């Protein structure tokens, strides 16, 4: 009986000692915020320069990209083609300056959500635009895997817009 208790005790000790230890890796959120900010600034600069190849290079191959119209749910290829067509119109000025930017880095440091708000005179000079990004870290690089453009009217203007759309 004593042998069984000793063997059982040793077995329990060995089993618990052999369990993998989960080590918590400290995430440098400051560095991640700087990297995401750099990517968003690069996106904005490329947009204002009408540099579709740089814009497209910032996107993941399997991302989801949403325009302002409910039908505009696009993959990378479709979005790039739309950008190419829109940006080839030299009479349109799609430039914008970010009025507000917010971001949150995931606890594991491998993804982030960011938003930018601004007015774009070429699209709708009286209604702000909100651009929402989901970014993922791939190796040392950050990439955009979700993008959504949305017009965001002020609450007090929604009634006016509904009347105008009748």
């Amino acid at each position: 009986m004593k042998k069984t208790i000793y063997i059982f005790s040793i077995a329990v000790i060995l089993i618990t000692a052999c369990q993998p230890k989960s080590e918590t890796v400290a995430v440098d959120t400051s560095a991640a915020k700087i990297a995401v900010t750099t990517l968003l600034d690069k996106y904005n600069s490329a947009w204002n320069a009408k540099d579709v190849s740089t814009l497209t290079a910032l996107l993941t191959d399997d991302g989801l990209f949403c325009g302002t119209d409910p039908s505009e749910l696009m993959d990378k290829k479709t979005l790039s083609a739309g950008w190419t067509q829109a940006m080839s119109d030299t009479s349109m000025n799609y430039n914008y300056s970010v009025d507000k930017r917010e971001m949150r880095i995931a606890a594991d440091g491998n993804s982030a959500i960011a938003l930018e708000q601004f007015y774009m005179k070429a699209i709708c000079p009286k209604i702000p635009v909100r651009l929402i990004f989901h970014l993922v870290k791939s190796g040392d690089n950050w990439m955009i895997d979700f993008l959504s453009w949305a017009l965001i009217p002020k609450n007090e203007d929604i009634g006016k817009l509904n009347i105008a759309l009748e």
Side-chain angles (χ1 to χ4, degrees), residues 4 75 93 98 104 109 157:
T4 307
D75 60 10
N93 180 359
V98 175
R104 301 293 183 268
D157 293 336

Side-chain angles (χ1 to χ4, degrees), residues 13-54:
I13 291 169
L14 287 174
I15 290 171
T16 56
C18 292
Q19 294 297 316
K21 306 281 188 268
S22 59
E23 293 183 27
T24 306
V25 177
V27 174
D28 186 354
T29 56
S30 296
K33 282 184 178 184
I34 290 168
V36 169
T37 297
T38 300
L39 182 135
L40 296 177
D41 289 344
K42 185 174 182 178
Y43 176 94
N44 184 257
S45 295
W47 179 271
N48 288 338
K50 296 184 175 186
D51 182 355
V52 175
S53 62
T54 297

Side-chain angles (χ1 to χ4, degrees), residues 43 56 58-80 83 131-136 143-149:
Y43 176 94
T56 303
L58 299 175
L59 308 175
T60 62
D61 290 335
D62 61 347
L64 173 62
F65 311 105
C66 309
T68 57
D69 188 272
S71 68
E72 294 176 335
L73 301 174
M74 299 166 277
D75 60 10
K76 182 177 181 174
K77 182 179 176 184
T78 305
L79 179 61
S80 181
W83 280 342
L131 181 52
I132 300 171
F133 300 87
H134 185 261
L135 305 103
V136 292
M143 303 285 291
I144 301 165
D145 77 338
F146 176 81
L147 186 68
S148 180
W149 289 75

Side-chain angles (χ1 to χ4, degrees), residues 74-146:
M74 299 166 277
D75 60 10
K76 182 177 181 174
K77 182 179 176 184
T78 305
L79 179 61
S80 181
W83 280 342
T84 299
Q85 181 181 1
M87 304 264 186
S88 67
D89 182 354
T90 57
S91 68
M92 292 297 292
N93 180 359
Y94 293 109
N95 289 11
Y96 66 90
S97 296
V98 175
D99 297 322
K100 181 177 188 173
R101 179 183 282 165
E102 295 285 334
M103 78 176 66
R104 301 293 183 268
I105 306 296
D108 65 2
N110 290 318
S111 66
I113 189 163
L115 72 83
E116 297 179 338
Q117 290 180 185
F118 50 87
Y119 286 89
M120 185 178 283
K121 293 179 181 166
I123 293 178
C124 196
K126 296 188 182 220
I127 300 176
V129 175
R130 181 176 291 151
L131 181 52
I132 300 171
F133 300 87
H134 185 261
L135 305 103
V136 292
K137 191 173 182 184
S138 176
D140 291 333
N141 297 320
W142 285 87
M143 303 285 291
I144 301 165
D145 77 338
F146 176 81

